[in-house]
Amino acid sequence: MGLRILIVEDDAVLADGMSSALRKYGYVVDCLADGAHADQALTTEDYDLTILDIGLPRMDGFEVLQRLRARRKKMPVLVLTARDELADRIKGLNLGADDYVIKPFELTELEARIRALIRRSMGEASPALEIGGLTLDMAARRVLLEGRTLDLTAREFGVLETLMSRAGRVVSKEQLNERLAPGAEDLAENAIEVYVSRLRKKITGADLSIRTVRGFGYLLEATPRA
Ligand code: CA
């Protein structure tokens, strides 16, 4: 189960771009286009983080933020502001925003800010994926096999995180490529195969397997203990 993010943005193109990028990173994303709906959703739903535009129909981002903090919700809020709106940024931070991103921005930068905010807000209790004796700590970027830390490279970690967050579902090579090198040129033809084969060796002993789905991608599954 991925972390839940709410995007509140009335620019449909920008909202779509952010949500599809964040889904590729494994987040569960909801999108709303007006402040009143956002205020409602933030009252009833539990999100791990909100990305909040300021200029919104029906209720602006400042009011959404103010009302959220008045309910003593501590969830991290990342405000989106226009380049020349310094006053907005200051007002947002004063109202309890945790960080801001200036439009236009790179999606990779947005994701890095999100990860930092989530890490900060989770503190010690970091989110973890657990399958077949393997524990992947998303915030600490660490994988444990029955208490022992595995020595993984950043890319091996990325492959494993992607496969574990979609356990039981087939993940395409394109999805892995996008996760490892977002927006960049594709990795060399067999690079992902190499990462997967190294991973298989390193997770030996865990009760899970990474199956190759020919011509498509990979499937991580828990395997019953023999
Ligand atoms: Ca707007």
Side-chain angles (χ1 to χ4, degrees):
M1 178 62 191
L3 296 167
R4 287 188 80 195
I5 293 182
L6 175 66
I7 296 174
V8 191
E9 169 58 72
D10 57 325
D11 175 336
V13 174
L14 181 57
D16 280 357
M18 287 191 286
S19 62
S20 62
L22 294 177
R23 283 183 186 120
K24 280 181 189 155
Y25 281 107
Y27 297 104
V28 176
V29 182
D30 287 347
C31 271
L32 293 171
D34 80 74
H37 272 134
D39 182 56
Q40 172 95 46
L42 288 167
T43 306
T44 56
E45 303 283 317
D46 262 329
Y47 291 99
D48 297 295
L49 181 138
T50 295
I51 298 171
L52 185 63
D53 185 32
I54 295 300
L56 291 168
R58 296 176 69 206
M59 182 189 291
D60 73 19
F62 292 131
E63 193 175 344
V64 173
L65 182 58
Q66 205 161 22
R67 293 170 58 93
L68 175 77
R69 294 310 185 210
R71 291 191 296 272
R72 305 194 173 277
K73 283 248 186 173
K74 281 189 180 159
M75 172 205 24
V77 175
L78 182 67
V79 164
L80 304 180
T81 68
R83 181 163 297 282
D84 47 356
E85 302 291 344
L86 179 64
D88 276 6
R89 263 171 262 161
I90 294 167
K91 187 171 176 189
L93 293 170
N94 282 339
L95 288 175
D98 297 275
D99 199 359
Y100 58 83
V101 170
I102 300 167
K103 297 180 191 179
F105 49 83
E106 296 290 333
L107 291 168
T108 48
E109 191 206 339
L110 180 74
E111 204 275 333
R113 300 286 194 95
I114 288 169
R115 190 176 293 175
L117 284 178
I118 288 178
R119 193 185 300 138
R120 212 199 293 166
S121 80
M122 299 275 178
E124 292 305 299
S126 49
L129 299 168
E130 292 186 37
I131 301 167
L134 206 60
T135 305
L136 184 142
D137 184 329
M138 296 169 92
R141 319 293 294 160
R142 199 167 60 137
V143 180
L144 297 167
L145 175 56
E146 280 153 7
R148 176 173 57 90
T149 302
L150 297 185
D151 182 23
L152 301 183
T153 66
R155 289 206 157 154
E156 288 162 0
F157 183 91
V159 170
L160 189 61
E161 183 185 41
T162 308
L163 294 176
M164 283 179 78
S165 64
R166 294 171 174 77
R169 284 175 286 164
V170 180
V171 178
S172 70
K173 282 191 179 174
E174 288 72 29
Q175 284 172 308
L176 287 168
N177 230 320
E178 186 59 34
R179 169 66 183 75
L180 295 179
E185 306 243 323
D186 281 1
L187 297 169
E189 178 76 23
N190 64 349
I192 289 173
E193 284 169 37
V194 172
Y195 299 137
V196 168
S197 89
R198 286 190 201 142
L199 264 177
R200 282 180 178 137
K201 291 201 185 87
K202 291 183 179 182
I203 64 172
T204 302
D207 298 317
L208 57 83
S209 69
I210 301 173
R211 282 170 43 196
T212 301
V213 181
R214 295 236 171 269
F216 189 75
Y218 299 94
L219 170 66
L220 181 145
E221 293 179 305
T223 48
R225 188 167 283 227

